[in-house]
Amino acid sequence: KAGVTQTPRYLIKTRGQQVTLSCSPISGHRSVSWYQQTPGQGLQFLFEYFSETQRNKGNFPGRFSGRQFSNSRSEMNVSTLELGDSALYLCASSLAGLYEQYFGPGTRLTVT
Amino acid sequence: GDSVTQMEGPVTLSEEAFLTINCTYTATGYPSLFWYVQYPGEGLQLLLKATKADDKGSNKGFEATYRKETTSFHLEKGSVQVSDSAVYFCALSDPGANSKLTFGKGITLSVRP
């Protein structure tokens, strides 16, 4: 069974631009969560989608948004990028909310 | 709110040494507890989990016991290998928060041959 895939693996953007990251969950998994990992703040929860609905949201500004499609694939978007948005963005999928989560390799975003 | 506290790192051990990584938590409900491991350049892998008090999670020689009385979930391994070098994260999931995981800061383990 294929694991969680994330594209692209690496991105370099300029301050003020916007970016879209993609996550394909394990086949059959309906829950997708997103996390931001930085050296200073560690791993922080962004949001979770289940059956195309946002079910939970972390403490991030409205510039961070996401969506989930009917095939459970998910995208997250960051608008008006800031230098502090440079991070590893991890996506995780699970069968449903209370089951084990499986993480993808992440997308490394660098904002210059 | 929920929080996880891990011991400060990094930790450097010789091969075959005993490993303990401390983890304590604060939660309003009865959380599930996890240890995740991250190898360089990779995402997180679930190492082990425990879903209720006194449960012991184990995998690949690693063990951790859910201690409700001390709100702890310390990770142990009797004999570490060079291949265990990685970053280890303790995490909790509150049943009322669906999939949201709250992580500790992580600790880097380096094992010398």
Side-chain angles (χ1 to χ4, degrees):
Chain A
K1 208 177 212 183
V4 178
T5 58
Q6 293 187 243
T7 56
R9 292 293 311 276
Y10 302 91
L11 262 180
I12 300 175
K13 290 286 188 180
T14 304
R15 226 169 6 170
Q17 288 185 315
Q18 76 165 14
V19 67
T20 299
L21 312 182
S22 180
C23 171
S24 292
I26 291 171
S27 178
H29 285 192
R30 295 168 63 192
S31 170
V32 174
S33 298
W34 289 89
Y35 294 83
Q36 181 195 64
Q37 185 177 21
T38 59
Q41 299 298 317
L43 280 152
Q44 293 186 285
F45 174 78
L46 280 155
F47 28 66
E48 183 223 355
Y49 286 86
F50 183 81
S51 294
E52 301 180 65
T53 301
Q54 187 182 88
R55 199 162 63 164
N56 209 345
K57 189 177 189 314
N59 240 1
F60 279 82
R63 300 185 297 106
F64 292 81
S65 63
R67 58 178 175 168
Q68 186 180 34
F69 302 95
S70 57
N71 62 358
S72 293
R73 190 177 71 84
S74 177
E75 290 180 346
M76 68 163 280
N77 183 277
V78 188
S79 62
T80 320
L81 283 165
E82 301 177 359
L83 295 179
D85 297 333
S86 295
L88 181 66
Y89 289 88
L90 293 164
C91 162
S93 77
S94 67
L95 278 170
L98 299 180
Y99 290 84
E100 294 173 19
Q101 293 192 54
Y102 295 84
F103 282 79
T107 294
R108 172 76 61 185
L109 172 65
T110 302
V111 182
T112 62
Chain B
D2 297 343
S3 67
V4 176
T5 302
Q6 289 184 234
M7 59 185 275
E8 299 274 328
V11 173
T12 302
L13 295 173
S14 297
E15 204 164 26
E16 298 184 3
F18 183 84
L19 169 71
T20 300
I21 301 177
N22 289 342
C23 171
T24 57
Y25 68 89
T26 302
T28 51
Y30 297 94
S32 294
L33 302 174
F34 306 86
W35 277 100
Y36 280 87
V37 59
Q38 186 175 34
Y39 297 101
E42 298 184 14
L44 276 69
Q45 297 177 25
L46 178 64
L47 182 58
L48 52 83
K49 67 175 183 178
T51 57
K52 61 183 188 298
D54 300 325
D55 265 3
K56 177 187 278 190
S58 61
N59 186 26
K60 298 180 182 179
F62 291 89
E63 291 183 341
T65 301
Y66 189 142
R67 300 282 187 206
K68 187 167 178 291
E69 63 277 12
T70 54
T71 61
S72 65
F73 193 55
H74 305 322
L75 182 68
E76 296 183 335
K77 187 175 185 184
S79 175
V80 294
Q81 306 300 312
V82 172
S83 57
D84 293 328
S85 298
V87 182
Y88 292 80
F89 294 91
C90 184
L92 70 80
S93 175
D94 190 312
N98 295 311
S99 289
K100 177 184 175 183
L101 285 167
T102 299
F103 287 91
K105 293 272 188 201
I107 187 169
T108 300
L109 170 66
S110 299
V111 181
R112 298 181 301 224

PDB file of all heavy atoms in Angstrom, chain A residues 36-70:
ATOM      1  N   GLN A  36       2.839  22.174  10.910  1.00  0.00           N
ATOM      2  CA  GLN A  36       4.009  22.982  10.561  1.00  0.00           C
ATOM      3  C   GLN A  36       5.132  22.631  11.536  1.00  0.00           C
ATOM      4  O   GLN A  36       4.904  22.573  12.742  1.00  0.00           O
ATOM      5  CB  GLN A  36       3.678  24.475  10.693  1.00  0.00           C
ATOM      6  CG  GLN A  36       4.825  25.394  10.318  1.00  0.00           C
ATOM      7  CD  GLN A  36       4.602  26.821  10.795  1.00  0.00           C
ATOM      8  OE1 GLN A  36       4.532  27.077  11.989  1.00  0.00           O
ATOM      9  NE2 GLN A  36       4.496  27.749   9.854  1.00  0.00           N
ATOM     10  N   GLN A  37       6.321  22.369  11.002  1.00  0.00           N
ATOM     11  CA  GLN A  37       7.464  22.061  11.855  1.00  0.00           C
ATOM     12  C   GLN A  37       8.559  23.092  11.645  1.00  0.00           C
ATOM     13  O   GLN A  37       9.067  23.267  10.528  1.00  0.00           O
ATOM     14  CB  GLN A  37       8.010  20.660  11.566  1.00  0.00           C
ATOM     15  CG  GLN A  37       9.131  20.247  12.516  1.00  0.00           C
ATOM     16  CD  GLN A  37       9.626  18.832  12.284  1.00  0.00           C
ATOM     17  OE1 GLN A  37       9.448  18.257  11.207  1.00  0.00           O
ATOM     18  NE2 GLN A  37      10.244  18.241  13.294  1.00  0.00           N
ATOM     19  N   THR A  38       8.935  23.799  12.708  1.00  0.00           N
ATOM     20  CA  THR A  38      10.032  24.757  12.672  1.00  0.00           C
ATOM     21  C   THR A  38      10.956  24.488  13.839  1.00  0.00           C
ATOM     22  O   THR A  38      10.536  23.940  14.867  1.00  0.00           O
ATOM     23  CB  THR A  38       9.521  26.211  12.783  1.00  0.00           C
ATOM     24  OG1 THR A  38       8.798  26.347  14.015  1.00  0.00           O
ATOM     25  CG2 THR A  38       8.615  26.577  11.622  1.00  0.00           C
ATOM     26  N   PRO A  39      12.234  24.891  13.718  1.00  0.00           N
ATOM     27  CA  PRO A  39      13.170  24.674  14.836  1.00  0.00           C
ATOM     28  C   PRO A  39      12.721  25.390  16.109  1.00  0.00           C
ATOM     29  O   PRO A  39      12.903  24.881  17.203  1.00  0.00           O
ATOM     30  CB  PRO A  39      14.481  25.252  14.303  1.00  0.00           C
ATOM     31  CG  PRO A  39      14.347  25.188  12.829  1.00  0.00           C
ATOM     32  CD  PRO A  39      12.904  25.426  12.534  1.00  0.00           C
ATOM     33  N   GLY A  40      12.125  26.554  15.968  1.00  0.00           N
ATOM     34  CA  GLY A  40      11.765  27.331  17.148  1.00  0.00           C
ATOM     35  C   GLY A  40      10.480  26.882  17.821  1.00  0.00           C
ATOM     36  O   GLY A  40      10.403  26.777  19.041  1.00  0.00           O
ATOM     37  N   GLN A  41       9.451  26.604  17.033  1.00  0.00           N
ATOM     38  CA  GLN A  41       8.124  26.277  17.572  1.00  0.00           C
ATOM     39  C   GLN A  41       7.826  24.781  17.578  1.00  0.00           C
ATOM     40  O   GLN A  41       6.820  24.361  18.149  1.00  0.00           O
ATOM     41  CB  GLN A  41       7.040  26.989  16.764  1.00  0.00           C
ATOM     42  CG  GLN A  41       7.139  28.498  16.801  1.00  0.00           C
ATOM     43  CD  GLN A  41       6.986  29.029  18.205  1.00  0.00           C
ATOM     44  OE1 GLN A  41       6.115  28.582  18.961  1.00  0.00           O
ATOM     45  NE2 GLN A  41       7.838  29.960  18.587  1.00  0.00           N
ATOM     46  N   GLY A  42       8.677  23.989  16.968  1.00  0.00           N
ATOM     47  CA  GLY A  42       8.434  22.553  16.933  1.00  0.00           C
ATOM     48  C   GLY A  42       7.300  22.211  15.985  1.00  0.00           C
ATOM     49  O   GLY A  42       7.093  22.879  14.980  1.00  0.00           O
ATOM     50  N   LEU A  43       6.554  21.170  16.343  1.00  0.00           N
ATOM     51  CA  LEU A  43       5.442  20.704  15.510  1.00  0.00           C
ATOM     52  C   LEU A  43       4.142  21.315  16.004  1.00  0.00           C
ATOM     53  O   LEU A  43       3.749  21.117  17.144  1.00  0.00           O
ATOM     54  CB  LEU A  43       5.334  19.180  15.595  1.00  0.00           C
ATOM     55  CG  LEU A  43       6.308  18.411  14.736  1.00  0.00           C
ATOM     56  CD1 LEU A  43       6.600  17.054  15.349  1.00  0.00           C
ATOM     57  CD2 LEU A  43       5.727  18.228  13.329  1.00  0.00           C
ATOM     58  N   GLN A  44       3.466  22.031  15.103  1.00  0.00           N
ATOM     59  CA  GLN A  44       2.216  22.677  15.472  1.00  0.00           C
ATOM     60  C   GLN A  44       1.113  22.269  14.515  1.00  0.00           C
ATOM     61  O   GLN A  44       1.309  22.257  13.286  1.00  0.00           O
ATOM     62  CB  GLN A  44       2.385  24.201  15.461  1.00  0.00           C
ATOM     63  CG  GLN A  44       3.332  24.713  16.538  1.00  0.00           C
ATOM     64  CD  GLN A  44       3.349  26.224  16.567  1.00  0.00           C
ATOM     65  OE1 GLN A  44       3.929  26.868  15.708  1.00  0.00           O
ATOM     66  NE2 GLN A  44       2.698  26.801  17.556  1.00  0.00           N
ATOM     67  N   PHE A  45      -0.043  21.981  15.066  1.00  0.00           N
ATOM     68  CA  PHE A  45      -1.212  21.546  14.309  1.00  0.00           C
ATOM     69  C   PHE A  45      -1.828  22.723  13.563  1.00  0.00           C
ATOM     70  O   PHE A  45      -2.071  23.786  14.148  1.00  0.00           O
ATOM     71  CB  PHE A  45      -2.219  20.947  15.288  1.00  0.00           C
ATOM     72  CG  PHE A  45      -3.542  20.588  14.695  1.00  0.00           C
ATOM     73  CD1 PHE A  45      -3.700  19.435  13.945  1.00  0.00           C
ATOM     74  CD2 PHE A  45      -4.638  21.411  14.891  1.00  0.00           C
ATOM     75  CE1 PHE A  45      -4.928  19.092  13.419  1.00  0.00           C
ATOM     76  CE2 PHE A  45      -5.874  21.085  14.373  1.00  0.00           C
ATOM     77  CZ  PHE A  45      -6.026  19.915  13.630  1.00  0.00           C
ATOM     78  N   LEU A  46      -2.054  22.527  12.262  1.00  0.00           N
ATOM     79  CA  LEU A  46      -2.688  23.560  11.453  1.00  0.00           C
ATOM     80  C   LEU A  46      -4.197  23.338  11.355  1.00  0.00           C
ATOM     81  O   LEU A  46      -4.991  24.173  11.735  1.00  0.00           O
ATOM     82  CB  LEU A  46      -2.067  23.571  10.054  1.00  0.00           C
ATOM     83  CG  LEU A  46      -0.735  24.302   9.929  1.00  0.00           C
ATOM     84  CD1 LEU A  46       0.069  23.760   8.767  1.00  0.00           C
ATOM     85  CD2 LEU A  46      -0.963  25.787   9.778  1.00  0.00           C
ATOM     86  N   PHE A  47      -4.591  22.220  10.753  1.00  0.00           N
ATOM     87  CA  PHE A  47      -6.015  21.876  10.634  1.00  0.00           C
ATOM     88  C   PHE A  47      -6.171  20.422  10.217  1.00  0.00           C
ATOM     89  O   PHE A  47      -5.220  19.772   9.799  1.00  0.00           O
ATOM     90  CB  PHE A  47      -6.769  22.783   9.641  1.00  0.00           C
ATOM     91  CG  PHE A  47      -5.953  23.362   8.524  1.00  0.00           C
ATOM     92  CD1 PHE A  47      -5.388  22.555   7.545  1.00  0.00           C
ATOM     93  CD2 PHE A  47      -5.756  24.724   8.443  1.00  0.00           C
ATOM     94  CE1 PHE A  47      -4.644  23.084   6.519  1.00  0.00           C
ATOM     95  CE2 PHE A  47      -5.008  25.280   7.413  1.00  0.00           C
ATOM     96  CZ  PHE A  47      -4.445  24.459   6.452  1.00  0.00           C
ATOM     97  N   GLU A  48      -7.416  19.964  10.356  1.00  0.00           N
ATOM     98  CA  GLU A  48      -7.764  18.601   9.978  1.00  0.00           C
ATOM     99  C   GLU A  48      -9.022  18.621   9.130  1.00  0.00           C
ATOM    100  O   GLU A  48      -9.969  19.372   9.406  1.00  0.00           O
ATOM    101  CB  GLU A  48      -8.023  17.722  11.203  1.00  0.00           C
ATOM    102  CG  GLU A  48      -8.308  16.261  10.824  1.00  0.00           C
ATOM    103  CD  GLU A  48      -9.462  15.648  11.603  1.00  0.00           C
ATOM    104  OE1 GLU A  48     -10.012  16.293  12.504  1.00  0.00           O
ATOM    105  OE2 GLU A  48      -9.805  14.490  11.292  1.00  0.00           O
ATOM    106  N   TYR A  49      -9.003  17.806   8.092  1.00  0.00           N
ATOM    107  CA  TYR A  49     -10.165  17.647   7.230  1.00  0.00           C
ATOM    108  C   TYR A  49     -10.634  16.207   7.258  1.00  0.00           C
ATOM    109  O   TYR A  49      -9.821  15.273   7.291  1.00  0.00           O
ATOM    110  CB  TYR A  49      -9.844  18.060   5.794  1.00  0.00           C
ATOM    111  CG  TYR A  49      -9.732  19.551   5.647  1.00  0.00           C
ATOM    112  CD1 TYR A  49      -8.529  20.201   5.896  1.00  0.00           C
ATOM    113  CD2 TYR A  49     -10.834  20.311   5.298  1.00  0.00           C
ATOM    114  CE1 TYR A  49      -8.438  21.571   5.801  1.00  0.00           C
ATOM    115  CE2 TYR A  49     -10.749  21.687   5.195  1.00  0.00           C
ATOM    116  CZ  TYR A  49      -9.547  22.310   5.456  1.00  0.00           C
ATOM    117  OH  TYR A  49      -9.452  23.668   5.367  1.00  0.00           O
ATOM    118  N   PHE A  50     -11.943  16.053   7.265  1.00  0.00           N
ATOM    119  CA  PHE A  50     -12.555  14.730   7.241  1.00  0.00           C
ATOM    120  C   PHE A  50     -13.779  14.803   6.342  1.00  0.00           C
ATOM    121  O   PHE A  50     -14.659  15.634   6.566  1.00  0.00           O
ATOM    122  CB  PHE A  50     -12.951  14.300   8.655  1.00  0.00           C
ATOM    123  CG  PHE A  50     -13.535  12.919   8.717  1.00  0.00           C
ATOM    124  CD1 PHE A  50     -12.709  11.815   8.730  1.00  0.00           C
ATOM    125  CD2 PHE A  50     -14.910  12.730   8.765  1.00  0.00           C
ATOM    126  CE1 PHE A  50     -13.241  10.538   8.785  1.00  0.00           C
ATOM    127  CE2 PHE A  50     -15.449  11.466   8.823  1.00  0.00           C
ATOM    128  CZ  PHE A  50     -14.604  10.360   8.839  1.00  0.00           C
ATOM    129  N   SER A  51     -13.798  13.954   5.335  1.00  0.00           N
ATOM    130  CA  SER A  51     -14.911  13.956   4.379  1.00  0.00           C
ATOM    131  C   SER A  51     -15.215  15.360   3.869  1.00  0.00           C
ATOM    132  O   SER A  51     -16.358  15.821   3.901  1.00  0.00           O
ATOM    133  CB  SER A  51     -16.179  13.350   5.006  1.00  0.00           C
ATOM    134  OG  SER A  51     -15.982  11.987   5.270  1.00  0.00           O
ATOM    135  N   GLU A  52     -14.173  16.039   3.435  1.00  0.00           N
ATOM    136  CA  GLU A  52     -14.242  17.354   2.790  1.00  0.00           C
ATOM    137  C   GLU A  52     -14.621  18.494   3.731  1.00  0.00           C
ATOM    138  O   GLU A  52     -14.828  19.629   3.278  1.00  0.00           O
ATOM    139  CB  GLU A  52     -15.230  17.326   1.609  1.00  0.00           C
ATOM    140  CG  GLU A  52     -14.861  16.292   0.548  1.00  0.00           C
ATOM    141  CD  GLU A  52     -15.853  16.273  -0.609  1.00  0.00           C
ATOM    142  OE1 GLU A  52     -15.961  17.273  -1.337  1.00  0.00           O
ATOM    143  OE2 GLU A  52     -16.526  15.226  -0.788  1.00  0.00           O
ATOM    144  N   THR A  53     -14.704  18.228   5.031  1.00  0.00           N
ATOM    145  CA  THR A  53     -15.079  19.269   5.992  1.00  0.00           C
ATOM    146  C   THR A  53     -13.936  19.517   6.967  1.00  0.00           C
ATOM    147  O   THR A  53     -13.326  18.561   7.456  1.00  0.00           O
ATOM    148  CB  THR A  53     -16.339  18.830   6.780  1.00  0.00           C
ATOM    149  OG1 THR A  53     -17.401  18.595   5.864  1.00  0.00           O
ATOM    150  CG2 THR A  53     -16.743  19.899   7.794  1.00  0.00           C
ATOM    151  N   GLN A  54     -13.682  20.779   7.233  1.00  0.00           N
ATOM    152  CA  GLN A  54     -12.667  21.093   8.244  1.00  0.00           C
ATOM    153  C   GLN A  54     -13.251  20.796   9.611  1.00  0.00           C
ATOM    154  O   GLN A  54     -14.250  21.397  10.026  1.00  0.00           O
ATOM    155  CB  GLN A  54     -12.247  22.563   8.163  1.00  0.00           C
ATOM    156  CG  GLN A  54     -11.065  22.885   9.086  1.00  0.00           C
ATOM    157  CD  GLN A  54     -10.683  24.353   9.031  1.00  0.00           C
ATOM    158  OE1 GLN A  54     -11.224  25.180   9.767  1.00  0.00           O
ATOM    159  NE2 GLN A  54      -9.755  24.690   8.170  1.00  0.00           N
ATOM    160  N   ARG A  55     -12.581  19.905  10.339  1.00  0.00           N
ATOM    161  CA  ARG A  55     -13.148  19.430  11.602  1.00  0.00           C
ATOM    162  C   ARG A  55     -12.443  20.027  12.809  1.00  0.00           C
ATOM    163  O   ARG A  55     -12.965  20.014  13.912  1.00  0.00           O
ATOM    164  CB  ARG A  55     -13.050  17.909  11.620  1.00  0.00           C
ATOM    165  CG  ARG A  55     -13.966  17.239  12.593  1.00  0.00           C
ATOM    166  CD  ARG A  55     -14.136  15.783  12.254  1.00  0.00           C
ATOM    167  NE  ARG A  55     -12.930  15.007  12.324  1.00  0.00           N
ATOM    168  CZ  ARG A  55     -12.909  13.677  12.373  1.00  0.00           C
ATOM    169  NH1 ARG A  55     -14.051  13.015  12.382  1.00  0.00           N
ATOM    170  NH2 ARG A  55     -11.780  13.016  12.390  1.00  0.00           N
ATOM    171  N   ASN A  56     -11.242  20.534  12.588  1.00  0.00           N
ATOM    172  CA  ASN A  56     -10.459  21.051  13.695  1.00  0.00           C
ATOM    173  C   ASN A  56      -9.463  22.045  13.136  1.00  0.00           C
ATOM    174  O   ASN A  56      -8.974  21.866  12.000  1.00  0.00           O
ATOM    175  CB  ASN A  56      -9.719  19.893  14.392  1.00  0.00           C
ATOM    176  CG  ASN A  56      -9.465  20.155  15.855  1.00  0.00           C
ATOM    177  OD1 ASN A  56      -9.576  21.280  16.324  1.00  0.00           O
ATOM    178  ND2 ASN A  56      -9.118  19.109  16.587  1.00  0.00           N
ATOM    179  N   LYS A  57      -9.149  23.065  13.912  1.00  0.00           N
ATOM    180  CA  LYS A  57      -8.248  24.100  13.409  1.00  0.00           C
ATOM    181  C   LYS A  57      -7.323  24.530  14.522  1.00  0.00           C
ATOM    182  O   LYS A  57      -7.745  24.693  15.675  1.00  0.00           O
ATOM    183  CB  LYS A  57      -9.071  25.297  12.924  1.00  0.00           C
ATOM    184  CG  LYS A  57      -8.275  26.343  12.181  1.00  0.00           C
ATOM    185  CD  LYS A  57      -9.207  27.443  11.672  1.00  0.00           C
ATOM    186  CE  LYS A  57      -8.528  28.412  10.728  1.00  0.00           C
ATOM    187  NZ  LYS A  57      -7.227  28.907  11.143  1.00  0.00           N
ATOM    188  N   GLY A  58      -6.061  24.735  14.176  1.00  0.00           N
ATOM    189  CA  GLY A  58      -5.075  25.208  15.139  1.00  0.00           C
ATOM    190  C   GLY A  58      -5.071  26.717  15.204  1.00  0.00           C
ATOM    191  O   GLY A  58      -5.927  27.399  14.656  1.00  0.00           O
ATOM    192  N   ASN A  59      -4.041  27.235  15.858  1.00  0.00           N
ATOM    193  CA  ASN A  59      -3.930  28.669  16.108  1.00  0.00           C
ATOM    194  C   ASN A  59      -3.072  29.379  15.081  1.00  0.00           C
ATOM    195  O   ASN A  59      -1.995  29.874  15.405  1.00  0.00           O
ATOM    196  CB  ASN A  59      -3.281  28.847  17.487  1.00  0.00           C
ATOM    197  CG  ASN A  59      -4.187  29.611  18.407  1.00  0.00           C
ATOM    198  OD1 ASN A  59      -5.285  30.000  18.050  1.00  0.00           O
ATOM    199  ND2 ASN A  59      -3.711  29.824  19.613  1.00  0.00           N
ATOM    200  N   PHE A  60      -3.506  29.393  13.873  1.00  0.00           N
ATOM    201  CA  PHE A  60      -2.754  30.042  12.812  1.00  0.00           C
ATOM    202  C   PHE A  60      -3.618  31.130  12.188  1.00  0.00           C
ATOM    203  O   PHE A  60      -4.843  31.052  12.197  1.00  0.00           O
ATOM    204  CB  PHE A  60      -2.343  29.011  11.744  1.00  0.00           C
ATOM    205  CG  PHE A  60      -1.125  28.225  12.115  1.00  0.00           C
ATOM    206  CD1 PHE A  60      -1.229  27.138  12.957  1.00  0.00           C
ATOM    207  CD2 PHE A  60       0.123  28.583  11.626  1.00  0.00           C
ATOM    208  CE1 PHE A  60      -0.102  26.408  13.315  1.00  0.00           C
ATOM    209  CE2 PHE A  60       1.248  27.874  11.973  1.00  0.00           C
ATOM    210  CZ  PHE A  60       1.145  26.781  12.818  1.00  0.00           C
ATOM    211  N   PRO A  61      -2.968  32.168  11.617  1.00  0.00           N
ATOM    212  CA  PRO A  61      -3.761  33.244  11.006  1.00  0.00           C
ATOM    213  C   PRO A  61      -4.518  32.757   9.779  1.00  0.00           C
ATOM    214  O   PRO A  61      -4.237  31.686   9.227  1.00  0.00           O
ATOM    215  CB  PRO A  61      -2.692  34.281  10.621  1.00  0.00           C
ATOM    216  CG  PRO A  61      -1.396  33.555  10.612  1.00  0.00           C
ATOM    217  CD  PRO A  61      -1.522  32.433  11.588  1.00  0.00           C
ATOM    218  N   GLY A  62      -5.476  33.578   9.356  1.00  0.00           N
ATOM    219  CA  GLY A  62      -6.326  33.221   8.234  1.00  0.00           C
ATOM    220  C   GLY A  62      -5.596  33.070   6.916  1.00  0.00           C
ATOM    221  O   GLY A  62      -6.170  32.561   5.946  1.00  0.00           O
ATOM    222  N   ARG A  63      -4.332  33.484   6.869  1.00  0.00           N
ATOM    223  CA  ARG A  63      -3.539  33.305   5.630  1.00  0.00           C
ATOM    224  C   ARG A  63      -3.344  31.823   5.315  1.00  0.00           C
ATOM    225  O   ARG A  63      -3.039  31.454   4.190  1.00  0.00           O
ATOM    226  CB  ARG A  63      -2.157  33.955   5.779  1.00  0.00           C
ATOM    227  CG  ARG A  63      -2.168  35.437   6.060  1.00  0.00           C
ATOM    228  CD  ARG A  63      -0.758  36.021   6.068  1.00  0.00           C
ATOM    229  NE  ARG A  63       0.092  35.479   7.115  1.00  0.00           N
ATOM    230  CZ  ARG A  63       1.084  34.608   6.907  1.00  0.00           C
ATOM    231  NH1 ARG A  63       1.350  34.178   5.687  1.00  0.00           N
ATOM    232  NH2 ARG A  63       1.819  34.182   7.917  1.00  0.00           N
ATOM    233  N   PHE A  64      -3.494  31.013   6.340  1.00  0.00           N
ATOM    234  CA  PHE A  64      -3.348  29.563   6.166  1.00  0.00           C
ATOM    235  C   PHE A  64      -4.745  28.960   5.970  1.00  0.00           C
ATOM    236  O   PHE A  64      -5.628  29.119   6.828  1.00  0.00           O
ATOM    237  CB  PHE A  64      -2.694  28.938   7.400  1.00  0.00           C
ATOM    238  CG  PHE A  64      -1.262  29.324   7.588  1.00  0.00           C
ATOM    239  CD1 PHE A  64      -0.920  30.529   8.163  1.00  0.00           C
ATOM    240  CD2 PHE A  64      -0.245  28.465   7.175  1.00  0.00           C
ATOM    241  CE1 PHE A  64       0.414  30.886   8.333  1.00  0.00           C
ATOM    242  CE2 PHE A  64       1.087  28.810   7.342  1.00  0.00           C
ATOM    243  CZ  PHE A  64       1.417  30.034   7.920  1.00  0.00           C
ATOM    244  N   SER A  65      -4.924  28.290   4.878  1.00  0.00           N
ATOM    245  CA  SER A  65      -6.223  27.682   4.602  1.00  0.00           C
ATOM    246  C   SER A  65      -6.017  26.332   3.939  1.00  0.00           C
ATOM    247  O   SER A  65      -4.912  26.006   3.493  1.00  0.00           O
ATOM    248  CB  SER A  65      -7.066  28.579   3.700  1.00  0.00           C
ATOM    249  OG  SER A  65      -6.437  28.741   2.436  1.00  0.00           O
ATOM    250  N   GLY A  66      -7.066  25.562   3.899  1.00  0.00           N
ATOM    251  CA  GLY A  66      -6.952  24.250   3.287  1.00  0.00           C
ATOM    252  C   GLY A  66      -8.265  23.802   2.716  1.00  0.00           C
ATOM    253  O   GLY A  66      -9.297  24.479   2.853  1.00  0.00           O
ATOM    254  N   ARG A  67      -8.218  22.675   2.051  1.00  0.00           N
ATOM    255  CA  ARG A  67      -9.448  22.047   1.578  1.00  0.00           C
ATOM    256  C   ARG A  67      -9.181  20.577   1.326  1.00  0.00           C
ATOM    257  O   ARG A  67      -8.017  20.148   1.215  1.00  0.00           O
ATOM    258  CB  ARG A  67      -9.960  22.724   0.308  1.00  0.00           C
ATOM    259  CG  ARG A  67      -9.006  22.728  -0.860  1.00  0.00           C
ATOM    260  CD  ARG A  67      -9.667  23.382  -2.058  1.00  0.00           C
ATOM    261  NE  ARG A  67      -8.742  23.521  -3.186  1.00  0.00           N
ATOM    262  CZ  ARG A  67      -9.140  23.852  -4.422  1.00  0.00           C
ATOM    263  NH1 ARG A  67     -10.414  24.077  -4.676  1.00  0.00           N
ATOM    264  NH2 ARG A  67      -8.259  23.963  -5.392  1.00  0.00           N
ATOM    265  N   GLN A  68     -10.260  19.844   1.215  1.00  0.00           N
ATOM    266  CA  GLN A  68     -10.149  18.421   0.924  1.00  0.00           C
ATOM    267  C   GLN A  68     -11.132  18.080  -0.183  1.00  0.00           C
ATOM    268  O   GLN A  68     -12.258  18.564  -0.203  1.00  0.00           O
ATOM    269  CB  GLN A  68     -10.446  17.581   2.165  1.00  0.00           C
ATOM    270  CG  GLN A  68     -10.197  16.086   1.957  1.00  0.00           C
ATOM    271  CD  GLN A  68     -10.492  15.259   3.198  1.00  0.00           C
ATOM    272  OE1 GLN A  68     -11.394  15.583   3.966  1.00  0.00           O
ATOM    273  NE2 GLN A  68      -9.736  14.194   3.395  1.00  0.00           N
ATOM    274  N   PHE A  69     -10.678  17.246  -1.078  1.00  0.00           N
ATOM    275  CA  PHE A  69     -11.501  16.869  -2.230  1.00  0.00           C
ATOM    276  C   PHE A  69     -12.235  15.552  -1.957  1.00  0.00           C
ATOM    277  O   PHE A  69     -11.951  14.863  -0.977  1.00  0.00           O
ATOM    278  CB  PHE A  69     -10.615  16.762  -3.472  1.00  0.00           C
ATOM    279  CG  PHE A  69      -9.881  18.043  -3.784  1.00  0.00           C
ATOM    280  CD1 PHE A  69      -8.587  18.244  -3.329  1.00  0.00           C
ATOM    281  CD2 PHE A  69     -10.501  19.055  -4.507  1.00  0.00           C
ATOM    282  CE1 PHE A  69      -7.911  19.426  -3.592  1.00  0.00           C
ATOM    283  CE2 PHE A  69      -9.830  20.240  -4.775  1.00  0.00           C
ATOM    284  CZ  PHE A  69      -8.540  20.429  -4.313  1.00  0.00           C
ATOM    285  N   SER A  70     -13.137  15.209  -2.860  1.00  0.00           N
ATOM    286  CA  SER A  70     -13.958  14.015  -2.651  1.00  0.00           C
ATOM    287  C   SER A  70     -13.127  12.732  -2.639  1.00  0.00           C
ATOM    288  O   SER A  70     -13.538  11.722  -2.073  1.00  0.00           O
ATOM    289  CB  SER A  70     -15.050  13.924  -3.725  1.00  0.00           C
ATOM    290  OG  SER A  70     -14.468  13.912  -5.009  1.00  0.00           O
TER     291      SER A  70
END
